[in-house]
């Protein structure tokens, strides 16, 4: 298997874990703060989950050459673009689709797919560089 394909598949699996975290937190808070604010809470939680998994699985043979806390801040900042696309797709669907309003997991799924490509390209081309001397995490 080509290294980039393996990496992309791992990135997709990590995205599924992020989707599960995102959806779980969304449903935890949606009754108390509504669909829009609950998503504003759930997205950062999903970013944290995907950062941990991506740095230890998807990009483990690469290094950002940053302290972990700084790497997370950089990762979160990079996820803002994909997160914006993700949230806009989610909000549009929640606003205009009664089905998605009732079952916001559908909006999370649609937004996640749209944002995934933006985020992957940013990480692949920007943050993580191959490092033959990277310590296994």
């Amino acid at each position: 298997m080509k290294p980039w394909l393996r990496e992309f598949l791992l990135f997709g699996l990590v995205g599924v874990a992020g989707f599960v975290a995102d959806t779980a937190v969304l449903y935890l808070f949606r009754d108390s703060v509504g669909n829009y604010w609950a998503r504003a809470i759930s997205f950062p939680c999903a970013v944290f989950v995907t950062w941990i998994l991506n740095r230890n699985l998807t990009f483990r043979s690469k290094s950002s050459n940053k302290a972990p806390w700084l790497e997370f801040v950089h990762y979160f900042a990079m996820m803002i673009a994909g997160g914006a696309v993700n949230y806009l797709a989610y909000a549009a669907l929640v606003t205009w689709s009664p089905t998605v309003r009732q079952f916001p997991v559908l909006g999370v799924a649609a937004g996640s797919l749209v944002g995934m490509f933006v985020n992957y390209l940013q990480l692949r081309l920007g943050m993580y560089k191959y490092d033959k001397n990277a310590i296994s995490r």
Side-chain angles (χ1 to χ4, degrees), residues 17-28 39 42 46 104-105 108-109 112:
F19 169 78
V20 169
D22 199 345
T23 303
V25 174
L26 170 75
Y27 274 79
L28 183 66
R39 189 70 200 286
S42 68
V105 64
V108 175
S112 295

Side-chain angles (χ1 to χ4, degrees), residues 9-86:
L9 291 174
L10 280 172
F11 187 80
L13 289 174
V14 167
V16 170
F19 169 78
V20 169
D22 199 345
T23 303
V25 174
L26 170 75
Y27 274 79
L28 183 66
F29 287 100
R30 74 182 275 231
D31 289 339
S32 58
V33 298
N35 285 329
Y36 300 104
W37 283 107
R39 189 70 200 286
I41 296 167
S42 68
F43 178 75
C45 296
V47 169
F48 183 74
V49 168
T50 60
W51 171 67
I52 292 288
L53 294 174
N54 274 321
R55 81 183 303 265
N56 290 297
L57 295 173
T58 310
F59 301 109
R60 77 172 169 218
S61 64
K62 297 179 178 184
S63 173
S64 69
N65 295 316
K66 293 176 171 50
W69 71 270
L70 189 56
E71 181 182 288
F72 175 71
V73 169
H74 187 199
Y75 181 89
F76 192 87
M78 290 182 79
M79 295 300 101
I80 296 298
V85 171
N86 181 328

Side-chain angles (χ1 to χ4, degrees), residues 95-106:
T95 300
W96 293 312
S97 170
T99 302
V100 176
R101 195 173 309 117
Q102 185 177 357
F103 303 103
V105 64
L106 300 172

Side-chain angles (χ1 to χ4, degrees), residues 72-83 118-119 121-128:
F72 175 71
V73 169
H74 187 199
Y75 181 89
F76 192 87
M78 290 182 79
M79 295 300 101
I80 296 298
V118 173
N119 291 339
L121 289 173
Q122 287 186 94
L123 290 174
R124 175 79 165 88
L125 301 174
M127 185 165 166
Y128 292 105

